[in-house]
Amino acid sequence: MWADRILVMSLAVSTGIACAGDIQFTDITAESGIDYFYDSPGNSLMSQGHFFGGIGVGDFDRNGSDDLFFPGSGTSTDRLYLNDGTGHFTDVSAAWGLVDIHLGNGIGVADVDDDGWLDVIMTSAGDPGGNPGAYRFYRNVEGTGFVNIAVELGLNELAPLNPQQPTFVSPGDYDVDGDIDLFYGSWQPLNGGNKLMRNNGDGTFTNVSNETGMEGAFNSSRGWSSTVVDMNQDLLPEVLWVGDFHRSHYFKNTGTGVFDDLAGQNGTNEDQNGMGGVVLDANVDGVLDWFVTSIFDDDDKSGHNGNALYIQYAEHEYLQLAGPYGVLDSGWAWTACAVDFDQDGREDLAVANGNSRKVQYTDEVQSLFRNDPSGTFYNVAAASGLTLDCASTSCVSFDLENDGDFDLVFLCNDGDVVVYRNDTVDQGAWLQIDLGGDPENGIPPYGLNTRVEAIVGDTTFVRYMDGKSCYGACGPQTLHFGLGDAEIIDVLEVSWINGKVTVLENVPVNQVLFIDPNPDCDPLEGDFDQNCLVDGVDLGTMLGAWGACPEFPADCPEDINNDGIVNGADLSYLLNNWSQ
């Protein structure tokens, strides 16, 4: 697939998808029910306390709407806000057992124990005194509460030396065995806080940093974030590790249990002060790229050369093109979200930025880079209504009120959580996908490490379920496609990490789809894709076959009543089983 690829340096990309309207956001914090002030650790306790503050997103009570989890700040407990489905949240922290005061930071969200409920994993600098041994693993007890079992799992003390300065935890199935492994990071390289903890599948974890060939890099890395993504479609996920001071790493998965670090050899590790990293298809060519947040200063002597956008032009080969693409400067940048906010077919970038300890980065407005049809990004934050001017260390994007588009939430260090609703007018079509899992056959819960392609005409849109990890933040567990003026997705191809492929054809837009890799149910009339649901995909299949069967009685499954024609009678059968 790589031999015939040509890098078009003009950066112009034509998708054949019509443009949507200008991106618009509205601050709805006051009406959202979110009232959390994150009081970050003081510098007398943590020399880098200004970088604390994460966000977790997931449907923790499984009511069909994503909820929000925030870390405790040393003066408050962890916070869980449940979403009632309309974008209004209720603080249920105490009722769910979140009662401890500690210095929380990076958050991971995943169903690690494969019981059907999303758990929360978190780094922590300990109690208000800053003592090691307080990392959290909150097991979700069937949507009723959390129980911290970090000690039982051996995950409570992963940065045993002071200063701890814990940064992130991110989930991923690096060894493709169906269970979820955990990557932990620390900004202090010599305290042992950078680790890969392999899930043994029996409720225990093992530190495999050494045997995977990562430990040497970990011992010198000021780790900020990581994500586990198959970058070349060989079903072996890479580990993209972001580190400060030229210490980012591109760990290629060899399939032998050992990784090769290609940083500095394949065009990556050009970021001088990398902090957050997200994967997206920036130029809509069907190939994944890597965006890394960093610090920008136009003083050449500062050593702050700005964000990096690594465009993949051949297998594991990249060009750093943040400047030409227009995403070099977002100040002191922390976390990023790659989302098609206007649903025009091109993923945009929201960046949380600011640093209250540096005068030139104080009261920075958050960045919003719109991916223009010309192939260049433009910062449209001010015009979009995104005027938040705080030191924000984390942001997440998800569909907070179930209307199809994705919204934004920012956590401010020494400030309030702020909620922005996406009010973009004349948006394009959309599709959201929730994935099932099959751990016994190598597919982790919630389809972690699954690649999905939506083909519309000559354009292939690609999304990858990596848990949506970036610096300090994680989630949601939903894939979102913006599709412009498309009315039907010609082909939807789901490539599970175990090699299985699910193909759906003639998929209608503007819907939420659940796709299971191994559906197990009694046959339903109208369930043509055999996913145990009669839904919009099946309706699209029927409408595509409308009329006389070409080879009656064979090869015409849409003719439910077997009369040789697909018509209203068959439609009635389908509708009678809708969503069963």
Side-chain angles (χ1 to χ4, degrees):
M1 62 173 288
W2 301 94
D4 59 350
R5 296 196 63 226
I6 299 174
L7 180 64
V8 182
M9 295 308 296
S10 67
L11 309 181
V13 177
S14 175
T15 65
I17 300 296
C19 298
D22 294 335
I23 299 174
Q24 290 294 318
F25 283 100
T26 303
D27 184 344
I28 62 164
T29 308
E31 60 196 77
S32 71
I34 304 287
D35 58 351
Y36 185 43
F37 182 95
Y38 185 79
D39 185 12
S40 64
N43 291 331
S44 61
L45 176 63
M46 304 296 293
S47 64
Q48 302 295 328
H50 67 288
F51 66 53
F52 272 51
I55 310 176
V57 179
D59 186 3
F60 298 111
D61 59 354
R62 286 194 351 203
N63 72 338
S65 300
D66 280 322
D67 312 303
L68 285 165
F69 191 104
F70 304 103
S73 64
T75 59
S76 65
T77 66
D78 301 322
R79 295 293 182 90
L80 173 63
Y81 289 85
L82 294 183
N83 187 347
D84 67 2
T86 68
H88 186 271
F89 296 82
T90 301
D91 185 350
V92 297
S93 308
W96 276 57
L98 302 175
V99 295
D100 293 339
I101 303 291
H102 71 111
L103 297 161
N105 195 18
I107 293 176
V109 177
D111 179 12
V112 180
D113 55 2
D114 185 32
D115 65 352
W117 300 91
L118 287 170
D119 310 302
V120 173
I121 315 100
M122 183 167 32
T123 64
S124 174
D127 58 30
N131 299 307
Y135 279 29
R136 261 51 180 174
F137 187 108
Y138 287 121
R139 180 177 179 271
N140 188 335
V141 184
E142 298 183 347
T144 62
F146 287 119
V147 176
N148 181 17
I149 60 170
V151 173
E152 292 90 323
L153 297 179
L155 299 175
N156 63 304
E157 193 169 9
L158 297 183
L161 305 177
N162 276 319
Q164 300 173 65
Q165 297 172 342
T167 48
F168 72 89
V169 55
S170 60
D173 183 12
Y174 84 93
D175 51 0
V176 198
D177 63 355
D179 53 36
I180 296 174
D181 312 297
L182 298 172
F183 291 79
Y184 286 86
S186 170
W187 191 78
Q188 184 67 32
L190 298 179
N191 69 0
N194 295 317
K195 286 184 171 72
L196 166 52
M197 302 298 292
R198 183 182 65 205
N199 189 333
N200 299 319
D202 59 2
T204 65
F205 289 81
T206 300
N207 180 6
V208 294
S209 305
N210 183 41
E211 66 187 68
T212 56
M214 295 179 170
E215 190 165 60
F218 285 173
N219 287 339
S220 64
S221 180
R222 294 185 182 271
W224 278 120
S225 63
S226 73
T227 185
V228 182
V229 181
D230 176 12
M231 297 299 287
N232 66 332
Q233 300 181 59
D234 65 351
L235 303 179
L236 297 171
E238 277 65 54
V239 178
L240 309 184
W241 180 280
V242 180
D244 207 349
F245 297 107
H246 281 298
R247 288 177 173 86
S248 292
H249 300 275
Y250 186 103
F251 293 111
K252 176 188 174 183
N253 195 332
T254 66
T256 65
V258 178
F259 289 82
D260 287 340
D261 186 3
L262 301 184
Q265 306 172 43
N266 67 343
T268 61
N269 199 22
E270 296 296 316
D271 49 285
Q272 291 185 347
N273 301 100
M275 291 188 279
V278 292
V279 168
L280 74 159
D281 182 5
N283 51 359
V284 200
D285 64 350
V287 177
L288 293 173
D289 311 303
W290 185 25
F291 176 71
V292 176
T293 63
S294 189
I295 307 167
F296 178 82
D297 191 332
D298 53 14
D299 181 356
D300 292 337
K301 298 179 181 180
S302 69
H304 300 324
N305 66 344
N307 302 323
L309 178 59
Y310 300 113
I311 298 296
Q312 188 172 188
Y313 68 91
E315 187 171 351
H316 298 307
E317 297 290 340
Y318 298 83
L319 287 177
Q320 201 294 92
L321 297 174
Y325 272 80
V327 294
L328 183 68
D329 180 9
S330 53
W332 195 290
W334 300 96
T335 309
C337 302
V339 175
D340 187 354
F341 292 110
D342 52 2
Q343 298 175 167
D344 66 346
R346 290 169 291 271
E347 291 175 276
D348 312 299
L349 286 164
V351 181
N353 44 250
N355 185 342
S356 59
R357 297 177 60 189
K358 304 290 184 180
V359 174
Q360 67 270 41
Y361 302 105
T362 301
D363 299 327
E364 278 189 322
V365 174
Q366 309 312 303
S367 297
L368 178 63
F369 295 105
R370 181 179 183 268
N371 194 342
D372 190 76
S374 67
T376 301
F377 290 76
Y378 295 95
N379 193 343
V380 298
S384 73
L386 184 59
T387 57
L388 179 61
D389 57 350
C390 72
S392 177
T393 49
S394 288
C395 66
V396 292
S397 184
F398 65 103
D399 185 0
L400 68 88
E401 79 276 50
N402 296 320
D403 65 348
D405 59 27
F406 266 38
D407 311 285
L408 273 168
V409 176
F410 291 87
L411 181 142
C412 295
N413 190 280
D414 284 323
D416 294 305
V417 170
V418 181
V419 182
Y420 281 96
R421 184 181 62 215
N422 189 341
D423 287 334
T424 302
V425 179
D426 299 326
Q427 297 187 49
W430 56 275
L431 179 73
Q432 291 185 28
I433 296 177
D434 294 325
L435 298 167
D438 185 8
E440 291 185 358
N441 291 301
I443 302 173
Y446 288 80
L448 195 63
N449 292 121
T450 297
R451 177 187 173 98
V452 181
E453 294 183 355
I455 301 173
V456 179
D458 295 329
T459 303
T460 297
F461 303 96
V462 60
R463 301 290 185 269
Y464 193 90
M465 177 46 67
D466 57 358
K468 304 306 171 188
S469 295
C470 195
Y471 171 61
C474 192
Q477 294 71 41
T478 297
L479 296 178
H480 171 266
F481 289 84
L483 297 164
D485 59 4
E487 296 180 356
I488 290 287
I489 299 170
D490 299 322
V491 178
L492 190 67
E493 184 170 298
V494 182
S495 299
W496 309 94
I497 195 62
N498 69 345
K500 184 174 183 177
V501 178
T502 301
V503 178
L504 308 178
E505 297 181 350
N506 301 315
V507 179
V509 299
N510 299 336
Q511 63 167 321
V512 179
L513 277 181
F514 174 74
I515 302 176
D516 197 297
N518 189 27
D520 181 16
C521 62
D522 295 329
L524 293 169
E525 290 180 333
D527 181 17
F528 304 121
D529 57 5
Q530 299 180 7
N531 70 339
C532 299
L533 294 171
V534 179
D535 54 20
V537 173
D538 305 299
L539 176 60
T541 300
M542 174 170 282
L543 295 178
W546 202 261
C549 293
E551 298 183 24
F552 180 76
D555 298 325
C556 197
E558 299 83 8
D559 177 20
I560 296 175
N561 65 353
N562 201 36
D563 66 354
I565 187 171
V566 180
N567 56 18
D570 305 296
L571 179 61
S572 295
Y573 284 107
L574 183 145
L575 295 177
N576 284 337
N577 285 327
W578 191 262
S579 293
Q580 293 186 25

